[in-house]
Amino acid sequence: MGAPMASNLIKAGCDVTVWNRTKSKCDPLLSLGAKYEPTPAQVASSCDVTFAMLADPQSAAEVACGSSGAAEGLAPGKGYVDVSTVDGATSKLIGERITSTGASFLEAPVSGSKKPAEDGLLIFLTAGDESLYKRVAPLLDVMGKSRFYLGDVGNGAAMKLVVNMVMGSMMVSFSEGLLLSEKVGLDPNTLVEVISQGAISAPMFSLKGPSMVKAAYPPAFPLKHQQKDLRLALALAESVSQSIPTVAAANELYKAAKSLGLSDHDFSAVIEALKAKVQSQSSQ
Amino acid sequence: MGAPMASNLIKAGCDVTVWNRTKSKCDPLLSLGAKYEPTPAQVASSCDVTFAMLADPQSAAEVACGSSGAAEGLAPGKGYVDVSTVDGATSKLIGERITSTGASFLEAPVSGSKKPAEDGLLIFLTAGDESLYKRVAPLLDVMGKSRFYLGDVGNGAAMKLVVNMVMGSMMVSFSEGLLLSEKVGLDPNTLVEVISQGAISAPMFSLKGPSMVKAAYPPAFPLKHQQKDLRLALALAESVSQSIPTVAAANELYKAAKSLGLSDHDFSAVIEALKAKVQSQSSQ
Amino acid sequence: MGAPMASNLIKAGCDVTVWNRTKSKCDPLLSLGAKYEPTPAQVASSCDVTFAMLADPQSAAEVACGSSGAAEGLAPGKGYVDVSTVDGATSKLIGERITSTGASFLEAPVSGSKKPAEDGLLIFLTAGDESLYKRVAPLLDVMGKSRFYLGDVGNGAAMKLVVNMVMGSMMVSFSEGLLLSEKVGLDPNTLVEVISQGAISAPMFSLKGPSMVKAAYPPAFPLKHQQKDLRLALALAESVSQSIPTVAAANELYKAAKSLGLSDHDFSAVIEALKAKVQSQSSQ
Amino acid sequence: MGAPMASNLIKAGCDVTVWNRTKSKCDPLLSLGAKYEPTPAQVASSCDVTFAMLADPQSAAEVACGSSGAAEGLAPGKGYVDVSTVDGATSKLIGERITSTGASFLEAPVSGSKKPAEDGLLIFLTAGDESLYKRVAPLLDVMGKSRFYLGDVGNGAAMKLVVNMVMGSMMVSFSEGLLLSEKVGLDPNTLVEVISQGAISAPMFSLKGPSMVKAAYPPAFPLKHQQKDLRLALALAESVSQSIPTVAAANELYKAAKSLGLSDHDFSAVIEALKAKVQSQSSQ
């Protein structure tokens, strides 16, 4: 994800310095004109604003706070924008370390995957230092189509979780509709088309519906990650005693799908958990 | 609903004859150039194709099959298109009576409410006589933006039920997201906006979200009708032994909303069933 | 069920006249001293009180109201006690026909199966004519261990439905416990034993648990009947807008079990719907 | 809980030494003949077998492993039996510290509350050192009515969790039955009585039903603890990808009950979450 984002910044005329654990991954960017520094600390030290895009919370924390991490190169006046998707606790931890250097911190998880990143159509859910938010707004606009400032650090992570929760639950409702239509003799492809015309039309349905009908689930957002997000959303809801019964019901189906071996398929594979399956060596 | 549909046909240059139990309701159409006949039978007798739009299954059956009903004026070569929303059983009943006259029958419930009817943007879910479908296609295109032919009579009703089922369930997922976002300190209006940018963006969310946040539910589609559709969908699913757990969970919330006195509010009022409410005279 | 009940009445010294569509089924009772009459009408005509035990609502209605049915032999002063399990509507229909003869009517569905019937340990859930209830109380005490008078006709059926609803839902909770215990490495037989010692000990768990662990479901109460009762209970709850979410969730599992081909197994086979089953020819 | 258990041991003729953070709480036991030691370490040092009964995992860990904790007084040949209810992780932690002294460890959470403790009717769910289990069996039999040996440390905690999970879910099913019966015009007290006669009769229903009907929930097992156990059970189920949909649905109701302010009421107060409650200052 980081490469196409950096590429868009370079193409927009920004002065970009990059780092990656595996230097060769930076080659395409270097050929576009980017500079390279051998550690996150050195990137942070040589730039006004540093963007970090890591695969998971552990890596995000290490690159920010670890040995030769960005914090070591930060100072008052500089900004650090973490666009990785991490949990609220990790984000707060990173934020505290960054601000202890006198630099500013912005949490900015993105909504959108590889294609929107390439097309500069990401959505940024930012939280933290508002003046840093204003300062990097033109850069966010190069990489994305919209941006939200949500207040205290942690709110970006929370917003992304709620959106993914609604998404996970909607996918199950859609799956129930597809299977029911098929069982009563309708063509589920027609259901996809009818839905695409009306009030509940959503890009996700049009995108995933046709392959779901063919029982194909090429992984865009892995099922195990969707289930993890539902689990985290249920925990978040529990912390404020909010009842979310359809999410709870949906989560049980994602769990069932995991036990069918579908963890690494796309999350639309949850539809399989709604199909009746008689075991081959069943004693029934 | 019938008036704007007829109006669009007249404006498109069709020769239109109308009937309504309350004649005065036809006056605007008459002033546009429509003719009037005093019974459904006389309408059917004087026209090639008759469209019927009634408020409920009972009225639809009576206008088609009752005394001085359309069937009495039909004959081989004529067509009868029922665009009312009725259950599959009523539709089959009407279809049998119509075809017994030698005329052709098309079930064609519409998806879309008053505004799309005025704008000629309805969606027709048709089933029954395919040659009649082809014959009236140009007329459907005047009144709507898309049309589907779904096979045997009953399939139009079933398709509409499945779509409404997914809609009812999605509305609950969305409600859960709105309440959770608010409880954890996010602005639910921002959630509506974030969702509107991404893969789960749906017109319904953008349309209803802002008033739901204000706890306002002006009735577009009454909650009791949505709950009835969920009940019918659960019955349909049971008839084919299809498990639809999030729909079942959602239905319980619509029932709870009904017991809160929200039957005649918009179905988005289901969100109220997810709010914790302590009784004023509680003994707790 | 009727035979052991009649047998207990005879053994207690009652003067019993019997009828069955298949006369030979009455032979054991005749050898114990019962008289036989060739139609329900003649039984009713020759007895003070007539008990009816039929397999389903249709038979119950026919034996009471049909040609040569009991109603034809009834008259003021006589009593008719229907111990069949029928829905509230059928019970009211029978009751109206019976009372139109001037006779008294008592609805009295039983809780308990063949073994309790033989042992005189049934539970009678009666409703209707209270003086008839008092009059037959000594006879109910011969056949059962307890009896309840619940008011208006229909209340016996409703009470039985609510009890079966709680039973169906409990069976799913128990199934979830058995499977979870097994998956985390506990012996599910030990769970059955632990439960049998404490506050949630129930005869059903001790009776069904051991065979459920062996995936054996000899039909005592068929799964399809349990699912039908859950469906009726959900309809009853809907009629009064009562939310019953665990019943709704449980019902979806019974439906899933039906689609696995388990309709005629014992209702404890619902546990199979909670097991992950990968289809043998799966394309996954 | 510890006091009545120790009391039963003394009455049975055992030589008992006690300790409590608040010494005066031991006075009744001392007057029965118990000795007192000023620290857990000294109790462990002066006894062959030490029983620990603490209120929560933190206290259990501190009394076993803290400064002047039992571990400091233990040695090869001695036994330590923790009858507190703790999570599996804490139990393993305590077990490791205890066995590092050469002493034996038995995890033995009890099922049953104050009254069964007084009456010597507890149920012990033990796991850990099997020879210690055999050695203390006669003592467990003085304090309880049954005991189970479940294998590795952690299994006692897991078994208790599964039992409590089934209990929490059953309570919701029962609540649904009580409310439905009442809404359709039956007497819920009669439902309690009917249930008490049949296959789903459980002590919990007979004990709690009558006060639930009166909307009284004197805390025996606090609702917040039941909800916590459901949360932990859901997490346990997730760890093995076991779907438990009625538990998930029940958990949402306990959460709703918490948001109604019922955390410290008995868990049977979950029934309140199923009642329709219109807010006094509602804008509806």
Side-chain angles (χ1 to χ4, degrees):
Chain A
M1 287 285 289
M5 293 170 74
S7 173
N8 282 330
L9 287 175
I10 297 167
K11 288 174 193 161
C14 300
D15 182 13
V16 176
T17 301
V18 298
W19 169 85
N20 188 284
R21 204 173 302 269
T22 309
K23 197 198 163 186
S24 62
K25 290 197 178 165
C26 294
D27 289 346
L29 294 171
L30 301 188
S31 70
L32 284 174
K35 275 165 256 162
Y36 186 81
E37 290 286 352
T39 66
Q42 286 165 285
V43 172
S45 164
S46 66
C47 296
D48 290 337
V49 174
T50 304
F51 286 90
M53 172 53 104
L54 285 306
D56 54 66
Q58 287 69 34
S59 313
E62 199 183 322
V63 162
C65 318
S67 167
S68 299
E72 293 182 7
L74 291 170
K78 290 181 180 289
Y80 188 79
V81 184
D82 198 331
V83 298
S84 317
T85 290
V86 304
D87 56 289
T90 300
S91 192
K92 280 171 194 159
L93 198 91
I94 293 174
E96 280 161 22
R97 177 70 184 94
I98 298 299
T99 51
S100 75
T101 68
S104 303
F105 176 69
L106 192 69
E107 157 190 62
V110 298
S111 182
S113 51
K114 192 149 199 158
K115 189 73 170 57
E118 288 167 357
D119 299 345
L121 295 173
L122 295 170
I123 300 164
F124 291 94
L125 305 173
T126 79
D129 190 291
E130 192 165 9
S131 63
L132 178 56
Y133 169 67
K134 288 177 180 155
R135 198 167 135 206
V136 299
L139 303 176
L140 298 180
D141 290 344
V142 164
M143 298 182 284
K145 67 173 176 183
S146 60
R147 52 186 157 81
F148 296 88
Y149 177 74
L150 304 163
D152 292 342
V153 169
N155 283 356
M159 181 60 85
K160 189 163 177 196
L161 199 56
V162 175
V163 173
N164 279 9
M165 173 192 103
V166 176
M167 179 171 76
S169 192
M170 271 174 66
M171 177 51 86
V172 174
S173 303
F174 181 58
S175 298
E176 291 173 356
L178 286 178
L179 290 179
L180 178 55
S181 68
E182 191 165 17
K183 274 214 177 167
V184 299
L186 299 168
D187 180 349
N189 286 304
T190 306
L191 176 65
V192 174
E193 213 183 326
V194 171
I195 284 178
S196 78
Q197 305 273 341
I200 59 170
S201 165
M204 176 174 83
F205 296 155
S206 300
L207 188 69
K208 311 250 182 199
S211 51
M212 289 169 76
V213 171
K214 291 180 224 146
Y217 316 106
F221 183 46
L223 189 138
K224 66 185 173 192
H225 291 167
Q226 175 64 79
Q227 196 273 322
K228 183 201 67 186
D229 283 354
L230 290 180
R231 170 165 51 82
L232 293 174
L234 282 159
L236 187 66
E238 182 169 323
S239 72
V240 292
S241 293
Q242 176 60 50
S243 188
I244 47 172
T246 68
V247 170
N251 185 42
E252 294 307 305
L253 289 166
Y254 284 98
K255 282 163 55 182
K258 280 172 67 181
S259 73
L260 290 171
L262 300 167
S263 292
D264 294 316
H265 286 64
D266 188 63
F267 75 110
S268 52
V270 71
I271 195 174
E272 292 292 323
L274 288 159
K275 296 180 181 173
K277 292 178 181 176
V278 184
Q279 267 176 317
S280 42
Q281 314 97 318
S282 169
S283 62
Q284 299 321 310
Chain B
M1 287 286 288
M5 293 170 74
S7 173
N8 281 330
L9 287 174
I10 297 166
K11 287 175 194 162
C14 300
D15 182 12
V16 176
T17 300
V18 297
W19 170 86
N20 188 286
R21 203 172 301 271
T22 309
K23 197 198 164 189
S24 62
K25 291 197 178 167
C26 295
D27 289 347
L29 294 171
L30 300 188
S31 70
L32 284 175
K35 276 165 254 160
Y36 185 82
E37 289 287 350
T39 65
Q42 287 165 283
V43 172
S45 163
S46 67
C47 296
D48 290 336
V49 174
T50 304
F51 285 90
M53 172 52 105
L54 284 307
D56 54 64
Q58 287 69 34
S59 314
E62 200 184 320
V63 162
C65 318
S67 166
S68 299
E72 292 182 7
L74 291 170
K78 288 180 181 291
Y80 188 79
V81 183
D82 198 331
V83 298
S84 316
T85 290
V86 305
D87 56 287
T90 299
S91 192
K92 280 171 194 161
L93 199 92
I94 293 174
E96 280 162 22
R97 177 69 184 95
I98 298 299
T99 52
S100 75
T101 68
S104 303
F105 175 70
L106 191 70
E107 157 190 60
V110 298
S111 182
S113 52
K114 190 147 202 164
K115 189 70 171 56
E118 289 167 357
D119 299 344
L121 295 173
L122 295 170
I123 301 164
F124 291 94
L125 305 172
T126 79
D129 190 291
E130 193 167 8
S131 62
L132 177 56
Y133 169 68
K134 288 178 180 155
R135 197 166 135 207
V136 300
L139 303 175
L140 299 180
D141 289 344
V142 165
M143 299 181 283
K145 66 174 176 181
S146 59
R147 50 185 159 82
F148 297 88
Y149 177 74
L150 304 164
D152 293 343
V153 169
N155 283 357
M159 181 60 86
K160 190 164 178 198
L161 198 56
V162 175
V163 173
N164 279 8
M165 172 191 104
V166 175
M167 179 170 76
S169 191
M170 269 174 68
M171 177 52 84
V172 175
S173 302
F174 182 58
S175 298
E176 291 173 356
L178 286 177
L179 290 178
L180 178 54
S181 68
E182 191 165 17
K183 275 214 177 167
V184 299
L186 299 168
D187 180 349
N189 286 304
T190 307
L191 176 65
V192 174
E193 212 183 329
V194 171
I195 284 179
S196 77
Q197 305 272 341
I200 59 170
S201 166
M204 176 174 82
F205 296 155
S206 300
L207 188 69
K208 312 252 182 197
S211 51
M212 290 169 76
V213 171
K214 290 180 225 146
Y217 317 106
F221 183 46
L223 189 139
K224 66 185 173 192
H225 291 168
Q226 175 64 79
Q227 195 273 322
K228 182 201 66 184
D229 282 354
L230 290 180
R231 171 165 51 81
L232 293 175
L234 281 160
L236 187 66
E238 182 170 324
S239 73
V240 292
S241 292
Q242 176 60 50
S243 189
I244 47 173
T246 68
V247 171
N251 185 42
E252 294 306 307
L253 289 166
Y254 283 98
K255 282 164 55 182
K258 280 172 67 181
S259 73
L260 290 172
L262 299 167
S263 291
D264 295 316
H265 290 242
D266 188 62
F267 75 111
S268 51
V270 71
I271 194 174
E272 292 293 323
L274 287 160
K275 295 181 181 172
K277 292 179 181 177
V278 183
Q279 268 177 314
S280 42
Q281 314 97 318
S282 170
S283 61
Q284 299 321 308
Chain C
M1 288 284 291
M5 293 171 74
S7 172
N8 281 330
L9 287 174
I10 297 167
K11 286 175 193 163
C14 300
D15 183 11
V16 176
T17 300
V18 296
W19 170 84
N20 188 286
R21 204 171 302 268
T22 310
K23 197 197 164 188
S24 61
K25 290 196 179 167
C26 293
D27 289 347
L29 293 171
L30 301 188
S31 72
L32 284 175
K35 276 165 253 160
Y36 187 81
E37 289 287 351
T39 66
Q42 285 166 287
V43 172
S45 162
S46 67
C47 295
D48 290 336
V49 174
T50 304
F51 286 90
M53 172 53 104
L54 284 307
D56 54 65
Q58 290 67 32
S59 312
E62 199 184 322
V63 162
C65 318
S67 167
S68 298
E72 294 182 5
L74 290 170
K78 288 181 181 290
Y80 188 78
V81 184
D82 199 331
V83 297
S84 317
T85 290
V86 303
D87 56 288
T90 301
S91 193
K92 279 170 195 162
L93 198 94
I94 294 174
E96 280 160 22
R97 175 71 184 94
I98 298 298
T99 51
S100 74
T101 67
S104 304
F105 175 68
L106 192 69
E107 158 190 60
V110 297
S111 181
S113 52
K114 190 146 201 162
K115 190 67 171 56
E118 289 167 357
D119 299 344
L121 295 174
L122 295 170
I123 301 165
F124 291 94
L125 304 174
T126 79
D129 190 292
E130 192 166 9
S131 63
L132 177 55
Y133 169 67
K134 287 178 180 154
R135 197 166 135 207
V136 301
L139 303 175
L140 299 180
D141 290 344
V142 164
M143 299 182 284
K145 68 174 174 179
S146 60
R147 49 186 159 82
F148 296 88
Y149 177 74
L150 303 165
D152 293 342
V153 169
N155 283 356
M159 181 60 85
K160 191 165 178 196
L161 199 56
V162 175
V163 172
N164 279 10
M165 172 191 104
V166 175
M167 180 169 77
S169 192
M170 272 174 66
M171 176 52 85
V172 174
S173 303
F174 182 58
S175 298
E176 292 174 355
L178 286 177
L179 290 178
L180 178 54
S181 68
E182 192 165 15
K183 275 214 176 166
V184 298
L186 299 168
D187 180 348
N189 286 303
T190 306
L191 175 66
V192 175
E193 212 182 327
V194 171
I195 284 179
S196 78
Q197 305 272 339
I200 59 170
S201 165
M204 177 174 81
F205 295 155
S206 300
L207 189 68
K208 311 252 183 197
S211 50
M212 289 169 78
V213 171
K214 290 180 223 145
Y217 316 106
F221 182 47
L223 189 138
K224 66 185 173 193
H225 292 167
Q226 176 65 78
Q227 196 273 322
K228 184 201 65 185
D229 282 354
L230 290 180
R231 171 165 49 83
L232 293 174
L234 281 159
L236 186 66
E238 183 170 323
S239 72
V240 292
S241 293
Q242 175 60 50
S243 187
I244 48 173
T246 67
V247 170
N251 185 42
E252 294 307 306
L253 288 166
Y254 283 98
K255 281 163 56 182
K258 280 172 67 182
S259 72
L260 290 171
L262 300 168
S263 292
D264 294 315
H265 289 242
D266 189 63
F267 74 111
S268 52
V270 72
I271 194 174
E272 292 293 323
L274 288 160
K275 295 180 182 173
K277 291 175 183 181
V278 184
Q279 267 175 316
S280 40
Q281 314 97 317
S282 170
S283 62
Q284 301 318 311
Chain D
M1 287 283 291
M5 293 171 74
S7 172
N8 281 328
L9 287 174
I10 298 167
K11 287 175 194 161
C14 301
D15 184 11
V16 176
T17 300
V18 297
W19 170 86
N20 188 286
R21 205 171 301 267
T22 309
K23 198 200 163 185
S24 62
K25 290 197 179 166
C26 294
D27 289 346
L29 293 170
L30 300 187
S31 71
L32 284 175
K35 275 165 256 162
Y36 185 82
E37 289 287 351
T39 67
Q42 286 165 287
V43 171
S45 163
S46 67
C47 296
D48 290 336
V49 174
T50 304
F51 285 90
M53 171 53 104
L54 283 306
D56 54 65
Q58 288 69 32
S59 313
E62 199 184 322
V63 161
C65 319
S67 167
S68 298
E72 294 184 5
L74 291 171
K78 288 181 181 290
Y80 189 78
V81 184
D82 199 331
V83 298
S84 316
T85 290
V86 303
D87 57 288
T90 300
S91 192
K92 279 170 195 161
L93 198 93
I94 294 174
E96 279 160 23
R97 176 70 183 97
I98 298 299
T99 51
S100 75
T101 67
S104 304
F105 175 67
L106 192 70
E107 158 190 61
V110 297
S111 181
S113 53
K114 190 146 199 161
K115 189 70 169 58
E118 289 168 356
D119 299 344
L121 295 174
L122 294 170
I123 302 165
F124 290 95
L125 304 173
T126 79
D129 190 290
E130 192 165 8
S131 63
L132 177 55
Y133 169 67
K134 287 179 180 154
R135 198 166 132 206
V136 300
L139 302 176
L140 299 180
D141 290 345
V142 164
M143 298 181 284
K145 67 174 177 181
S146 60
R147 50 186 159 82
F148 296 88
Y149 177 74
L150 303 164
D152 293 343
V153 169
N155 284 355
M159 181 60 86
K160 191 164 176 195
L161 199 57
V162 175
V163 172
N164 279 10
M165 172 191 104
V166 175
M167 180 169 77
S169 191
M170 271 174 67
M171 177 53 85
V172 174
S173 303
F174 181 58
S175 298
E176 292 174 354
L178 286 178
L179 290 178
L180 178 55
S181 68
E182 191 165 15
K183 275 215 176 165
V184 299
L186 299 169
D187 180 348
N189 286 304
T190 306
L191 175 65
V192 175
E193 212 183 328
V194 171
I195 284 179
S196 78
Q197 304 273 341
I200 59 170
S201 165
M204 178 175 81
F205 296 155
S206 300
L207 189 68
K208 311 252 183 198
S211 50
M212 289 169 77
V213 171
K214 288 180 226 147
Y217 317 106
F221 182 47
L223 189 137
K224 66 185 172 192
H225 291 167
Q226 176 65 78
Q227 196 273 322
K228 184 200 64 184
D229 282 354
L230 290 180
R231 171 164 51 83
L232 294 174
L234 282 158
L236 187 66
E238 183 169 323
S239 72
V240 292
S241 292
Q242 176 61 50
S243 187
I244 48 173
T246 68
V247 171
N251 185 43
E252 294 306 306
L253 289 166
Y254 282 99
K255 280 163 56 181
K258 279 172 68 181
S259 73
L260 290 172
L262 299 167
S263 291
D264 294 315
H265 286 65
D266 188 63
F267 75 110
S268 51
V270 72
I271 194 174
E272 292 293 322
L274 288 160
K275 295 181 182 172
K277 289 175 184 183
V278 183
Q279 266 176 317
S280 41
Q281 314 97 318
S282 170
S283 61
Q284 301 317 311

